[in-house]
Amino acid sequence: MTKADIVDAVYDRLGGYSKRDAAELVELVFQILKDTLEKGEKVKVSGFGNFVVREKKSRMGRNPQTEKPIEISARKVLTFKPSQVLKSQLNG
Amino acid sequence: MTKSDLIEKVAENANLTKDKASMVVNAIFDKMVDAMKEGQRIEIRNFGNFTVRHYESYTGRNPKTGTSVAVGPKRMPFFKVGLDLKKRVNGGAA
């Protein structure tokens, strides 16, 4: 499934709006999500899950090919924690 | 940010009533939940992919009491962040 299918779902639900409007609205929603996460703020969507930006400390790793130890720098990563509701929906 | 904050932002930005904005946001997440229920993979360009992973049954342990518990097979949603968003979250660096 791609964004186009999501646009169709929004188009069907709204009524009275063009496909183009629906596509722009879907784009807007993901844009807001991305802008918020980029700022390091978490996004909680009830019934779906939470998107959280986590700070990872630097740690030592190694290049698996050369076996040489290298430092993996500190970084911020985005994680998704599915909600209990979503998990049970998938196992219903 | 919660779902209601998101709805408010959408209403503001798109000049929609809150009712309409909440229809948009709910239609998006409902559609994604439906797709995952069917075991479908969801690809959203410049955001990331959601996949459903299948796990076989295994014997786990209650970490508090140490007793063994049988865990049945299950399906879990998994999100892989897209490269573009991954970079943006990390302040532009890879």
Side-chain angles (χ1 to χ4, degrees), chain A residues 72-90:
Chain A
I72 297 168
S73 54
R75 64 191 62 218
K76 286 185 222 160
V77 296
L78 175 59
T79 57
F80 173 67
K81 186 165 189 275
S83 84
Q84 216 42 255
V85 178
L86 176 58
K87 285 196 261 181
S88 59
Q89 292 241 48
L90 294 187

Side-chain angles (χ1 to χ4, degrees), chain A residues 11-73:
Chain A
Y11 171 77
D12 290 343
R13 177 101 50 123
L14 270 180
Y17 286 79
S18 68
K19 271 261 168 86
R20 198 201 198 115
D21 291 333
E24 276 174 16
L25 289 167
V26 170
E27 213 49 63
L28 173 65
V29 169
F30 284 105
Q31 201 54 57
I32 294 169
L33 292 177
K34 286 191 282 186
D35 291 345
T36 306
L37 294 167
E38 189 177 6
K39 283 187 271 174
E41 197 186 320
K42 73 171 142 190
V43 178
K44 301 198 270 186
V45 184
S46 61
F48 191 77
N50 299 342
F51 295 92
V52 186
V53 177
R54 301 186 60 181
E55 303 248 5
K56 299 282 222 178
K57 288 190 190 135
S58 74
R59 62 186 168 90
M60 292 308 287
R62 63 173 70 232
N63 178 331
Q65 227 158 52
T66 64
E67 298 269 299
K68 271 205 183 118
I70 36 164
E71 188 188 359
I72 297 168
S73 54

Side-chain angles (χ1 to χ4, degrees), chain B residues 11-90:
Chain B
E12 234 171 71
N13 275 275
N15 227 341
L16 286 180
T17 62
K18 260 196 212 162
D19 261 18
K20 290 274 183 205
S22 104
M23 270 187 203
V24 171
V25 169
N26 283 315
I28 292 173
F29 289 107
D30 289 351
K31 180 72 185 174
M32 293 204 282
V33 172
D34 286 346
M36 283 193 268
K37 271 162 114 174
E38 288 170 22
Q40 279 188 56
R41 164 194 174 86
I42 308 169
E43 288 180 41
I44 301 162
R45 281 270 177 87
N46 298 324
F47 190 76
N49 299 334
F50 293 88
T51 49
V52 180
R53 292 189 173 179
H54 297 252
Y55 293 89
E56 297 304 321
S57 59
Y58 61 94
T59 312
R61 255 169 214 289
N62 178 335
K64 243 187 206 154
T65 63
T67 46
S68 313
V69 235
V71 181
K74 61 183 171 189
R75 298 196 299 170
M76 293 284 278
F78 181 81
F79 174 66
K80 181 164 190 215
V81 59
L83 196 58
D84 175 63
L85 181 56
K86 187 178 181 174
K87 282 182 185 162
R88 283 177 61 179
V89 160
N90 197 30

